[in-house]
Amino acid sequence: MDLAFARTVAWRVFATGGSVVSGLATLRLLSDHVSKPEYAVVGAALGMMMYLPLLDGGFRMVVNRRLLAARSLDSADQERVDLLHFSQSLQSWVGVVALLVGALLMVLYALTPNASAAHEPWSFYLLLGAAGAMGLMAQMQATLLTGLGRQAQVFAINGFASLGNLALLALCFHQGMRVWAFPVSLLIGAVIQFFAAGYLARLTEPGLPLIEFRRDAAFLKRLAGLRSEALAAFRSQASILLLFSFDIVIVGLVPQQEEAATYMVLTRIFAIVRNCLQAASEAMWPLVASGHDSARRFEQPLLRLNAWICGAALGACVPTLPPFLEWLMKKDWSPAPLLVLLFAARFCVTTFSSPTAFFLLGRGDFKMLARYVERELIAAVVLSIPLGWKFGPTGVVLSFLLATAFGTLTPILSRYAHLVKESPFQLFTTVWIRGVAAAGVAGLAGWLIVQQLRPGPLAIAAGAAATLAGILPGIALAWFRRPANSGLSRTALVNMLRNF
């Protein structure tokens, strides 16, 4: 398990690196090729396309969990074969529905005042819908590899896809496509990703069809048998997706398009940071789903380690992100310090709890996870109506921060503590003392360093140095808590991780 987990994490790090490079380079391209009002319109449309994965109804997650549990079965076992064919048929039907829904969604968005002001033709929005549908099929085909026990390949595909999409976007901008560069590059990238994932799946399962439209009795029986579990998985997926994207839709509908564009840039940056920080947690959940005892023994050490790293990284973002964006993009794209602080605070809450959310997914506890995140989402939307109207984008992010009290702040941690028979209060304080300490040290270190710098690429080095400063107290704590005279052997380093 240790070698497989390390390999998966390594590919996850590669995928994260590709996402970071692609995300930052895309922001630079944006500032050179599109205006802030143009990006506000496209950004809101892309945010809406993020909802298309919900069309799988939660069946993808359930099928993958069952495939992971069935890995010990012979490759010709009928149950496994039926699951694979059901998965491909589901993907094909969902792709057709996604094409229709994506087109309808974009047509409706094109009628809004902000989109109408952009004066783009209907074909632009229809192409965006098609790109979103193809992206969903590519994502479903790639995630099948997780069910086949090939999660490392999923991350490899994602990493190369991020870099490939960046190259396509740059090429389209170079050809003078402006906002059209987004749907064109996304569509081409999704087609390549779909066939690449299909090729890897067929290496594991020769003869597996990429497109299959079954509606026979076996397919319908499987659909009915998985419906209850899939509904619970759908609720959890939908609530999590909405929680991290619906604020973009809300901000995209406000009239202050200049502020909305800055908000969307910050959303993109913090999404990259969040993806980096949850790499190990995301790599862990299939191992939990497969029932690896060693994976479950490492859950709580990972939770503590996650708090140190997340606190340090997000604390470092507060002082170093504004000067970095001022250099990376034009000065008027640089966010207000208060907005960055609120984003960092919100993502501190969510990333501190992200390992427990993945552990609950691995255990199949979809219903409870969905319940807590749904409460948080409802509270966020209700709060954003008065606060967003009063304070604009700043009020929206404040609403989503306050709403964490209903979900990711304590309830999810408490649920996990109950399952592993730990004290919720002790688990909460263990995580938050580490996270807040790391954030405070990193934020102070970053502020001191930035005072000596002008806006420029050195802000990246300042952020890295501040993050390291925030993690150092955790390293010192783990070192002093290690067994005496343990040296620096592999066993000693593993014990240090468990005492972080």
Side-chain angles (χ1 to χ4, degrees), residues 75 124 183 293 324 340 386 398 440:
S75 60
F124 171 76
D293 291 335
F324 170 68
V340 180
L398 177 60

Side-chain angles (χ1 to χ4, degrees), residues 326-450:
E326 185 175 337
W327 163 76
L328 182 68
M329 307 179 76
K330 296 175 183 177
K331 187 174 181 180
D332 61 340
W333 287 76
S334 182
L338 176 60
L339 195 60
V340 180
L341 178 62
L342 291 174
F343 261 95
R346 180 197 172 193
F347 278 82
C348 271
V349 177
T350 56
T351 54
F352 289 174
S353 297
S354 64
T356 54
F358 278 106
F359 299 156
L360 293 178
L361 286 176
R363 286 172 166 82
D365 196 7
F366 303 122
K367 289 183 179 179
M368 294 304 296
L369 181 62
R371 184 178 302 170
Y372 296 137
V373 181
E374 284 167 354
R375 290 174 184 172
E376 181 173 337
L377 177 63
I378 292 170
V381 173
V382 170
L383 288 171
S384 6
I385 294 173
L387 293 179
W389 181 267
K390 178 72 174 176
F391 302 107
T394 301
V396 174
V397 70
L398 177 60
S399 302
F400 277 75
L401 170 60
L402 295 175
T404 59
F406 295 87
T408 49
L409 180 60
T410 56
I412 290 178
L413 277 168
S414 298
R415 174 63 180 175
Y416 172 74
H418 173 74
L419 290 177
V420 297
K421 297 179 173 55
E422 293 283 343
S423 164
F425 177 77
Q426 182 177 353
L427 190 64
F428 180 83
T429 53
T430 295
V431 169
W432 274 85
I433 287 174
R434 287 166 170 77
V436 171
V441 172
L444 177 60
W447 182 79
L448 291 173
I449 296 172
V450 165

